[in-house]
Amino acid sequence: NVAELPGQLINAHGPGVILGALVIAILVAWRWAPKAVKKVPGPLVAIVGVTALSLLAPFGDVTRIQINGSLIDALALPSLPQGNWGGFAAGVLTVALIASVESLLSAVSVDRMHTGPRTNFDREMIGQGAANIASGAIGGLPVTGVIVR
């Protein structure tokens, strides 16, 4: 990957790089926005604004994700594997344990950084379990509370 990086940087898709850099610039500059404007989340402004900008002529050739049919059609129910149930169970347990430990460690570190109310770890794990059941039921990825914090 490191050996290929210079070639990838030289052959980078110009409009995509410009749009990506603009998203980052908006996110960084959002801290200096007026208080009335900051009521709208910076990431929302960055993504919606740059997406609208990408529809203009100079950026018309940016690759976009296309979903055939409706968004509901894109959701897929999970399917169970055929055969190796041991490997499947080990993968499920590994992801569940890593996600749980990651969320709990993050909660502990956030609790140490402030003097307010402490995390209810039982509630944290019940919420994460419910979110993972719902996410998995529609074919989504595992959920952790780390990114929220």
Side-chain angles (χ1 to χ4, degrees):
N1 287 341
V2 173
E4 293 293 324
L5 188 59
Q8 291 175 0
L9 290 175
I10 291 170
N11 297 323
H13 184 253
V17 171
I18 293 169
L19 293 171
L22 187 57
V23 168
I24 293 170
I26 292 171
L27 291 174
V28 170
W30 198 250
R31 72 177 78 188
W32 295 292
K35 198 167 203 161
V37 175
K38 286 175 86 172
K39 289 183 180 182
V40 179
L44 179 64
V45 172
I47 295 299
V48 170
V50 172
T51 299
L53 182 65
S54 75
L55 298 174
L56 298 177
F59 302 107
D61 64 341
V62 175
T63 304
R64 300 183 191 319
I65 297 173
Q66 293 184 353
I67 299 175
N68 298 329
S70 72
L71 186 59
I72 301 298
D73 293 338
L75 299 176
L77 293 176
S79 60
L80 295 175
Q82 301 292 326
N84 188 6
W85 280 93
F88 175 73
V92 169
L93 288 174
T94 301
V95 170
L97 289 174
I98 289 173
S100 298
V101 168
E102 186 179 36
S103 290
L104 291 175
L105 289 174
S106 175
V108 168
S109 67
V110 169
D111 281 349
R112 289 183 181 172
M113 294 189 320
H114 69 88
T115 58
R118 299 294 179 211
T119 302
N120 180 340
F121 296 115
D122 290 337
R123 185 175 179 187
E124 177 82 18
M125 289 294 95
I126 290 170
Q128 184 171 323
N132 279 324
I133 289 170
S135 177
I138 61 171
L141 297 173
V143 176
T144 66
V146 176
I147 194 69
V148 176
R149 287 188 178 85

